[in-house]
Amino acid sequence: IDLKLYTTLVRFDAIYQQHFKLMIGSIRRNYPHLHRWMKHMYWNVVGVKETTDFKHIKENYSKSHADVNPKAITPLGPEPNIEDWTEDDEQWRREAERESESLRGHM
């Protein structure tokens, strides 16, 4: 489990994009594999959802860097903060697990 990657990804759409003017695309719309992995972490890894506080993430960044955001504008979106885990996502997870087990069997 890569918690450093998770924290970067979960903050990207929520605050980094607006705060640091990163208009190169969003994790949600432009990086489907990273988006699905982030959703998997949020919905399926015990403790991750419970300790991800979007209000804190957004307010901490938007109110603590006056040189970047002098009016302390805090974004409302994206909505929802994390999209639901779907049956397609679950199928992806099962296939990834099978592939991982197969690769372990060849070591």
Side-chain angles (χ1 to χ4, degrees):
I1 297 175
D2 189 336
L3 291 177
K4 288 182 181 182
L5 177 60
Y6 173 77
T7 58
T8 299
L9 293 179
V10 83
R11 291 173 183 165
F12 192 89
D13 290 357
I15 189 67
Y16 290 172
Q17 206 177 19
Q18 176 262 346
H19 190 65
F20 297 114
K21 318 300 187 265
L22 302 173
M23 298 306 159
I24 59 172
S26 67
I27 300 299
R28 183 175 295 204
R29 300 288 173 243
N30 301 97
Y31 300 93
H33 297 291
L34 290 174
H35 182 234
R36 186 168 270 159
W37 181 86
M38 179 183 66
K39 284 173 42 175
H40 166 69
M41 290 286 294
Y42 184 82
W43 291 111
N44 300 315
V45 176
V46 175
V48 172
K49 177 181 177 185
E50 296 78 11
T51 57
T52 302
D53 183 345
F54 286 97
K55 185 176 188 279
H56 174 77
I57 291 167
K58 292 174 185 182
E59 288 184 356
N60 179 58
Y61 275 89
S62 63
K63 295 180 183 358
S64 65
H65 300 115
D67 55 328
V68 176
N69 188 5
K71 297 190 186 273
I73 297 169
T74 303
L76 296 175
E79 287 295 327
N81 287 308
I82 297 283
E83 292 179 342
D84 289 337
W85 188 251
T86 66
E87 185 55 41
D88 286 344
D89 295 323
E90 186 59 26
Q91 182 178 348
W92 165 83
R93 186 191 64 76
R94 287 191 300 264
E95 290 172 7
E97 283 181 354
R98 281 193 295 274
E99 184 176 315
S100 179
E101 289 171 8
S102 174
L103 291 172
R104 272 187 246 139
H106 291 12
M107 295 178 140

